[in-house]
Amino acid sequence: MNTLQIASLLIVFAGAFGAINYLFFRLPSAIGILVVAFLASLAVLALDWFVP
Amino acid sequence: MALEVSRFVAELEFSETLLGWMLGLLLFAGALHVRIEDLRAQAWTIGLMATLGVALSTVVVGVGFSWVTGMPLLVALTFGALISPTDPVAVLGVLKEADLPKTLETKIAGESLFNDGVGYVVFLVLVGIAFPRPDSHAPHDVAGVALFFLQEAGGGALLGGILGWLVFQVMKRIDDYPLEVLLSLGLAFGGYELAIALHVSGPIMAVVAGLFIGDVGMKHGMSVETRKYLDAFWKLVDEILNAVLFLLIGVEVFVVTFSADFLSAGVAAIALALLARFAAVFVPVSLLRLFRSYDKGVVPIMTWGGLKGGISVALALSLPDSEWKPMILTATYTVVLFSIIIQGLTIAPLAKRLGREPEML
């Protein structure tokens, strides 16, 4: 993946998680993005554990 | 799938991305919004906390962590150095609603800006000593360390001042906001890269340049319209970079090793970091209390509000590989997560309760 693709991916996810936070969690923006990203990551890890 | 994501995240080179340019931009943007008179009024507090405070915090965490985990002291000290800088972003955003006195806000923001720069230099010195490489030109003796500090910190400040002044001279003669914003971007990006090339501290350069443009530059070199646009532009850059940064922190969990030992080390690290932060705040404030007065809630607010963020994660990732790195990474990550989520979400109510001072008559 080149730098531009990575940058695009990051920006898209930051925006998406920010929106999710705003609509569902109402935490301050930056903190909210961290929480959603963390939960999403844990979800991926958990999914991988159950469905190898 | 998780394995692929893991590998992707690991390859993100979080460290280089952050330390490479995000940090410079973030510090420049942060410094832009601080007024020098406000800073000067809190100069002793900020100065003492950013130097003595960082040193104390490094030692407290280093010694404590070494004792708890059996890690060699020098390695534990590098952990102490990287966990000491605070991240103002989350705090200031959250504290907006707590309606704190301006002096406290300046203390928090100012200290955070400078302790990033100082912490980074301390970290570099300690890494050089703890993980010596044959070709490394890191100093090993006290005189060498002092010289290194002087070169990095002093050089960075000097470069920031000179470049800031040069850009200010150009801006004074121009009244075209897109061009002036472009010039400020050039200063931030170019200045940071130049600092690195000259072996001086990029973070400190960014802070000094940002302070200069944000204060002298805005007052004497810009029209009202330019000021508005420059302010708004950098505020947006700040917010967007922070959003991406916190996203990166959130997904770094893929790179962290979860084991019972490491997690308990992480919990110990949380306690140590809080204790260290308390020392870093309490000692300078107590010393200065002999000369001036402070709002009542200063120590608890600045202790609990000392959030650790991206820079700690980036520094931890930049450590040379060693048997202790995974444990340090896990501990760093646990502390950062705890401080941003738990401390970050509770600091506003705490501040509201403590900061509520009847205005001085």
Side-chain angles (χ1 to χ4, degrees):
Chain A
M1 270 209 153
N2 68 38
T3 319
L4 202 54
Q5 288 172 315
I6 296 180
S8 308
L9 208 65
L10 291 177
I11 292 182
V12 166
F13 274 114
F17 290 166
I20 293 177
N21 168 59
Y22 188 91
L23 297 170
F24 298 109
F25 294 111
R26 296 300 169 104
L27 298 173
S29 198
I31 299 182
I33 293 181
L34 176 84
V35 170
V36 177
F38 183 60
L39 293 176
S41 305
L42 288 181
V44 171
L45 283 170
L47 206 73
D48 194 71
W49 198 60
F50 287 120
V51 188
Chain B
M1 174 172 78
L3 193 57
E4 286 165 33
V5 183
S6 265
R7 223 175 292 141
F8 173 70
V9 172
E11 278 167 36
L12 267 182
E13 300 190 355
F14 183 81
S15 237
E16 302 191 8
T17 315
L18 178 65
L19 297 180
W21 52 276
M22 283 178 83
L23 186 64
L25 291 177
L26 284 169
L27 289 176
F28 184 82
L32 212 60
H33 290 110
V34 176
R35 294 285 156 269
I36 295 192
E37 317 92 64
D38 295 338
L39 205 64
R40 207 177 291 155
Q42 309 301 324
W44 276 103
T45 315
I46 292 176
L48 217 57
M49 284 186 69
T51 51
L52 181 63
V54 169
L56 275 172
S57 171
T58 304
V59 169
V60 169
V61 173
V63 170
F65 205 58
S66 169
W67 182 70
V68 166
T69 62
M71 194 179 276
L73 183 63
L74 268 177
V75 179
L77 282 172
T78 60
F79 174 63
L82 68 85
I83 208 77
S84 297
T86 56
D87 179 346
V89 171
V91 194
L92 290 176
V94 162
L95 288 178
K96 253 180 281 177
E97 19 169 320
D99 201 23
L100 291 179
K102 183 82 178 141
T103 54
L104 192 55
E105 220 182 274
T106 307
K107 280 198 266 278
I108 294 178
E111 189 231 342
S112 230
L113 289 173
F114 284 106
N115 72 22
D116 279 6
V118 173
Y120 190 15
V121 178
V122 173
F123 175 77
L124 286 176
V125 171
L126 287 170
V127 167
I129 300 177
F131 303 96
R133 287 185 342 249
D135 63 328
S136 130
H137 34 221
H140 302 284
D141 58 336
V142 180
V145 170
L147 206 65
F148 184 74
F149 250 92
L150 208 64
Q151 180 193 328
E152 285 275 335
L158 194 63
L159 187 66
I162 293 176
L163 291 179
W165 185 82
L166 282 172
V167 172
F168 163 61
Q169 289 301 320
V170 177
M171 279 184 173
K172 232 176 30 172
R173 295 161 169 74
I174 300 179
D175 185 15
D176 178 43
Y177 70 80
L179 186 56
E180 289 176 89
V181 169
L182 181 61
L183 287 173
S184 69
L185 266 175
L187 174 62
F189 272 114
Y192 198 79
E193 290 301 316
L194 187 61
I196 295 183
L198 293 176
H199 295 293
V200 297
S201 171
I204 294 188
M205 177 267 150
V207 171
V208 173
L211 281 175
F212 197 90
I213 298 288
D215 191 271
V216 176
M218 290 226 175
K219 269 193 268 200
H220 307 290
M222 296 181 207
S223 60
V224 175
E225 191 192 36
T226 302
R227 229 174 285 153
K228 227 179 21 167
Y229 276 101
L230 205 89
D231 240 340
F233 176 80
W234 281 101
K235 187 155 193 296
L236 285 173
V237 168
D238 205 355
E239 298 273 354
I240 294 174
L241 282 180
N242 276 304
V244 173
L245 178 60
F246 277 50
L247 169 74
L248 285 174
I249 298 178
V251 298
E252 280 301 314
V253 67
F254 282 105
V255 186
V256 161
T257 337
F258 287 117
S259 77
D261 296 334
F262 286 5
L263 283 176
S264 51
V267 172
I270 293 176
L272 278 172
L274 278 172
L275 183 67
R277 176 66 185 168
F278 176 71
V281 173
F282 183 71
V283 173
V285 167
S286 306
L287 283 175
L288 293 172
R289 266 214 165 106
L290 301 170
F291 303 98
R292 51 158 292 179
S293 66
Y294 280 100
D295 299 326
K296 247 204 298 190
V298 166
V299 173
I301 292 179
M302 290 199 78
T303 302
W304 195 246
L307 307 192
K308 321 296 177 178
I311 188 176
S312 298
V313 177
L315 289 178
L317 286 167
S318 78
L319 281 170
D321 285 316
S322 78
E323 55 169 313
W324 296 106
K325 184 168 174 183
M327 178 182 279
I328 291 185
L329 266 177
T330 308
T332 306
Y333 197 71
T334 331
V335 175
V336 168
L337 227 61
F338 176 86
S339 88
I340 293 180
I341 299 180
I342 308 287
Q343 285 171 243
L345 293 176
T346 52
I347 184 67
L350 177 73
K352 251 184 264 194
R353 189 124 40 103
L354 291 175
R356 220 16 117 236
E357 282 264 303
E359 276 306 304
M360 300 297 276
L361 293 164

